[in-house]
Short mmCIF file of all heavy atoms in Angstrom, two decimals:
data_model
loop_
_atom_site.label_atom_id
_atom_site.label_comp_id
_atom_site.label_asym_id
_atom_site.label_seq_id
_atom_site.Cartn_x
_atom_site.Cartn_y
_atom_site.Cartn_z
N VAL A 1 -17.18 -22.96 3.73
CA VAL A 1 -17.97 -22.35 2.67
C VAL A 1 -19.44 -22.27 3.16
O VAL A 1 -19.75 -22.93 4.21
CB VAL A 1 -17.88 -23.11 1.33
CG1 VAL A 1 -16.46 -23.09 0.83
CG2 VAL A 1 -18.52 -24.52 1.47
N ARG A 2 -20.27 -21.58 2.43
CA ARG A 2 -21.66 -21.47 2.74
C ARG A 2 -22.47 -21.55 1.54
O ARG A 2 -21.89 -21.66 0.45
CB ARG A 2 -22.01 -20.25 3.58
CG ARG A 2 -21.88 -18.97 2.89
CD ARG A 2 -22.11 -17.82 3.86
NE ARG A 2 -22.48 -16.55 3.13
CZ ARG A 2 -23.11 -15.56 3.76
NH1 ARG A 2 -23.36 -15.64 4.99
NH2 ARG A 2 -23.46 -14.48 3.13
N ASP A 3 -23.82 -21.55 1.69
CA ASP A 3 -24.71 -21.68 0.53
C ASP A 3 -24.46 -23.04 -0.19
O ASP A 3 -24.40 -23.12 -1.44
CB ASP A 3 -24.55 -20.57 -0.47
CG ASP A 3 -24.70 -19.16 0.17
OD1 ASP A 3 -25.62 -19.01 0.98
OD2 ASP A 3 -23.93 -18.30 -0.13
N SER A 4 -24.33 -24.11 0.56
CA SER A 4 -23.93 -25.41 0.05
C SER A 4 -24.92 -25.98 -0.97
O SER A 4 -24.47 -26.57 -2.00
CB SER A 4 -23.70 -26.37 1.14
OG SER A 4 -24.86 -26.56 1.89
N ALA A 5 -26.16 -25.73 -0.83
CA ALA A 5 -27.18 -26.21 -1.83
C ALA A 5 -26.89 -25.59 -3.21
O ALA A 5 -26.92 -26.25 -4.24
CB ALA A 5 -28.61 -25.94 -1.35
N GLU A 6 -26.60 -24.24 -3.19
CA GLU A 6 -26.41 -23.54 -4.42
C GLU A 6 -25.04 -23.94 -5.06
O GLU A 6 -24.82 -24.12 -6.23
CB GLU A 6 -26.47 -22.01 -4.22
CG GLU A 6 -27.80 -21.54 -3.94
CD GLU A 6 -28.20 -21.56 -2.41
OE1 GLU A 6 -27.42 -22.22 -1.62
OE2 GLU A 6 -29.21 -21.05 -2.12
N LEU A 7 -23.97 -24.09 -4.17
CA LEU A 7 -22.62 -24.56 -4.59
C LEU A 7 -22.75 -25.89 -5.33
O LEU A 7 -22.05 -26.08 -6.37
CB LEU A 7 -21.64 -24.61 -3.46
CG LEU A 7 -21.37 -23.34 -2.70
CD1 LEU A 7 -20.28 -23.57 -1.64
CD2 LEU A 7 -20.89 -22.22 -3.63
N GLY A 8 -23.53 -26.75 -4.78
CA GLY A 8 -23.69 -28.09 -5.45
C GLY A 8 -24.30 -28.08 -6.75
O GLY A 8 -24.23 -29.06 -7.51
N GLN A 9 -24.86 -26.97 -7.19
CA GLN A 9 -25.55 -26.84 -8.46
C GLN A 9 -24.60 -26.17 -9.51
O GLN A 9 -24.90 -26.16 -10.76
CB GLN A 9 -26.84 -26.00 -8.41
CG GLN A 9 -27.85 -26.68 -7.51
CD GLN A 9 -28.27 -28.07 -7.97
OE1 GLN A 9 -28.56 -28.27 -9.11
NE2 GLN A 9 -28.23 -29.04 -7.10
N LEU A 10 -23.48 -25.66 -9.05
CA LEU A 10 -22.62 -24.90 -9.97
C LEU A 10 -21.57 -25.82 -10.66
O LEU A 10 -21.11 -26.73 -10.03
CB LEU A 10 -21.81 -23.83 -9.19
CG LEU A 10 -22.69 -22.66 -8.65
CD1 LEU A 10 -21.86 -21.72 -7.76
CD2 LEU A 10 -23.34 -21.89 -9.77
N PRO A 11 -21.29 -25.53 -11.86
CA PRO A 11 -20.37 -26.39 -12.64
C PRO A 11 -18.93 -26.03 -12.34
O PRO A 11 -18.11 -25.61 -13.20
CB PRO A 11 -20.71 -26.13 -14.09
CG PRO A 11 -21.17 -24.70 -14.09
CD PRO A 11 -21.90 -24.55 -12.77
N ILE A 12 -18.48 -26.20 -11.08
CA ILE A 12 -17.12 -25.98 -10.66
C ILE A 12 -16.81 -26.90 -9.45
O ILE A 12 -17.71 -27.29 -8.71
CB ILE A 12 -17.00 -24.48 -10.21
CG1 ILE A 12 -15.45 -24.17 -9.93
CG2 ILE A 12 -17.86 -24.11 -9.03
CD1 ILE A 12 -15.15 -22.68 -9.72
N GLY A 13 -15.55 -27.31 -9.40
CA GLY A 13 -15.07 -28.09 -8.23
C GLY A 13 -14.88 -27.19 -7.11
O GLY A 13 -14.18 -26.20 -7.20
N ILE A 14 -15.39 -27.58 -5.89
CA ILE A 14 -15.14 -26.83 -4.71
C ILE A 14 -14.97 -27.85 -3.60
O ILE A 14 -15.81 -28.73 -3.39
CB ILE A 14 -16.30 -25.87 -4.31
CG1 ILE A 14 -16.55 -24.94 -5.42
CG2 ILE A 14 -16.01 -25.13 -3.02
CD1 ILE A 14 -17.81 -24.06 -5.23
N MET A 15 -13.88 -27.77 -2.84
CA MET A 15 -13.63 -28.64 -1.66
C MET A 15 -13.40 -27.68 -0.49
O MET A 15 -12.78 -26.68 -0.65
CB MET A 15 -12.49 -29.58 -1.88
CG MET A 15 -12.67 -30.59 -3.00
SD MET A 15 -11.25 -31.65 -3.16
CE MET A 15 -11.62 -32.80 -1.87
N ALA A 16 -13.90 -28.08 0.69
CA ALA A 16 -13.72 -27.32 1.91
C ALA A 16 -13.81 -28.28 3.10
O ALA A 16 -14.20 -29.41 3.03
CB ALA A 16 -14.84 -26.28 2.02
N LEU A 17 -13.35 -27.77 4.28
CA LEU A 17 -13.46 -28.55 5.52
C LEU A 17 -14.88 -28.77 5.91
O LEU A 17 -15.24 -29.82 6.42
CB LEU A 17 -12.65 -27.88 6.60
CG LEU A 17 -11.15 -27.82 6.58
CD1 LEU A 17 -10.63 -27.07 7.66
CD2 LEU A 17 -10.64 -29.31 6.62
N ALA A 18 -15.74 -27.67 5.90
CA ALA A 18 -17.11 -27.76 6.34
C ALA A 18 -17.90 -26.59 5.76
O ALA A 18 -17.37 -25.80 5.00
CB ALA A 18 -17.04 -27.69 7.89
N THR A 19 -19.12 -26.58 6.15
CA THR A 19 -20.02 -25.41 5.83
C THR A 19 -20.24 -24.62 7.12
O THR A 19 -20.24 -25.15 8.14
CB THR A 19 -21.32 -25.92 5.23
OG1 THR A 19 -22.01 -26.75 6.18
CG2 THR A 19 -21.12 -26.62 3.88
N HIS A 20 -20.56 -23.36 6.95
CA HIS A 20 -20.91 -22.45 8.02
C HIS A 20 -21.68 -21.35 7.52
O HIS A 20 -21.33 -20.73 6.50
CB HIS A 20 -19.54 -21.91 8.64
CG HIS A 20 -19.71 -21.32 10.00
ND1 HIS A 20 -20.45 -20.18 10.27
CD2 HIS A 20 -19.25 -21.77 11.19
CE1 HIS A 20 -20.43 -19.90 11.59
NE2 HIS A 20 -19.72 -20.86 12.11
N PRO A 21 -22.81 -21.00 8.18
CA PRO A 21 -23.65 -19.87 7.62
C PRO A 21 -23.20 -18.46 7.72
O PRO A 21 -23.62 -17.59 7.00
CB PRO A 21 -24.98 -20.10 8.42
CG PRO A 21 -24.56 -20.72 9.67
CD PRO A 21 -23.36 -21.61 9.38
N ARG A 22 -22.22 -18.20 8.66
CA ARG A 22 -21.77 -16.87 8.89
C ARG A 22 -20.73 -16.46 7.76
O ARG A 22 -19.86 -17.16 7.37
CB ARG A 22 -21.10 -16.77 10.22
CG ARG A 22 -20.69 -15.40 10.59
CD ARG A 22 -20.04 -15.21 11.98
NE ARG A 22 -20.72 -15.89 12.97
CZ ARG A 22 -21.79 -15.39 13.67
NH1 ARG A 22 -22.23 -14.16 13.37
NH2 ARG A 22 -22.34 -16.06 14.64
N ARG A 23 -20.96 -15.16 7.35
CA ARG A 23 -20.01 -14.63 6.29
C ARG A 23 -18.73 -14.17 6.99
O ARG A 23 -18.71 -13.90 8.24
CB ARG A 23 -20.71 -13.52 5.56
CG ARG A 23 -20.91 -12.23 6.37
CD ARG A 23 -21.53 -11.13 5.59
NE ARG A 23 -21.84 -10.06 6.45
CZ ARG A 23 -22.72 -9.15 6.21
NH1 ARG A 23 -23.43 -9.17 5.22
NH2 ARG A 23 -22.93 -8.17 7.07
N SER A 24 -17.75 -13.98 6.13
CA SER A 24 -16.42 -13.45 6.74
C SER A 24 -16.47 -11.99 6.83
O SER A 24 -17.38 -11.34 6.43
CB SER A 24 -15.31 -13.89 5.82
OG SER A 24 -15.27 -13.08 4.66
N VAL A 25 -15.43 -11.48 7.50
CA VAL A 25 -15.24 -10.03 7.51
C VAL A 25 -14.65 -9.58 6.21
O VAL A 25 -14.15 -10.42 5.40
CB VAL A 25 -14.40 -9.59 8.72
CG1 VAL A 25 -15.06 -9.98 10.00
CG2 VAL A 25 -13.02 -10.19 8.63
N LYS A 26 -14.65 -8.29 5.94
CA LYS A 26 -14.01 -7.68 4.77
C LYS A 26 -13.04 -6.55 5.14
O LYS A 26 -13.44 -5.45 5.21
CB LYS A 26 -15.14 -7.16 3.87
CG LYS A 26 -16.35 -8.08 3.66
CD LYS A 26 -16.18 -8.94 2.52
CE LYS A 26 -17.40 -9.74 2.17
NZ LYS A 26 -17.76 -10.86 3.01
N ARG A 27 -11.83 -6.93 5.47
CA ARG A 27 -10.84 -5.94 5.83
C ARG A 27 -9.72 -5.75 4.75
O ARG A 27 -8.85 -4.99 4.90
CB ARG A 27 -10.22 -6.28 7.10
CG ARG A 27 -11.05 -6.19 8.34
CD ARG A 27 -10.39 -6.44 9.59
NE ARG A 27 -9.83 -7.73 9.65
CZ ARG A 27 -10.37 -8.87 10.32
NH1 ARG A 27 -11.42 -8.66 11.05
NH2 ARG A 27 -9.74 -9.99 10.35
N GLY A 28 -9.85 -6.59 3.78
CA GLY A 28 -8.76 -6.51 2.65
C GLY A 28 -7.44 -7.10 3.02
O GLY A 28 -6.44 -6.66 2.50
N GLU A 29 -7.49 -8.03 4.01
CA GLU A 29 -6.25 -8.59 4.53
C GLU A 29 -6.00 -9.92 3.82
O GLU A 29 -6.92 -10.67 3.45
CB GLU A 29 -6.33 -8.78 6.00
CG GLU A 29 -6.48 -7.46 6.76
CD GLU A 29 -6.64 -7.62 8.22
OE1 GLU A 29 -6.78 -8.75 8.71
OE2 GLU A 29 -6.73 -6.60 8.92
#
């Protein structure tokens, strides 16, 4: 996931392996 500082402020549970600044591709797959 990314934007970890912002994610930590949101009222939702999120778990991930790590953080990474690069966004994913968008191919609809």
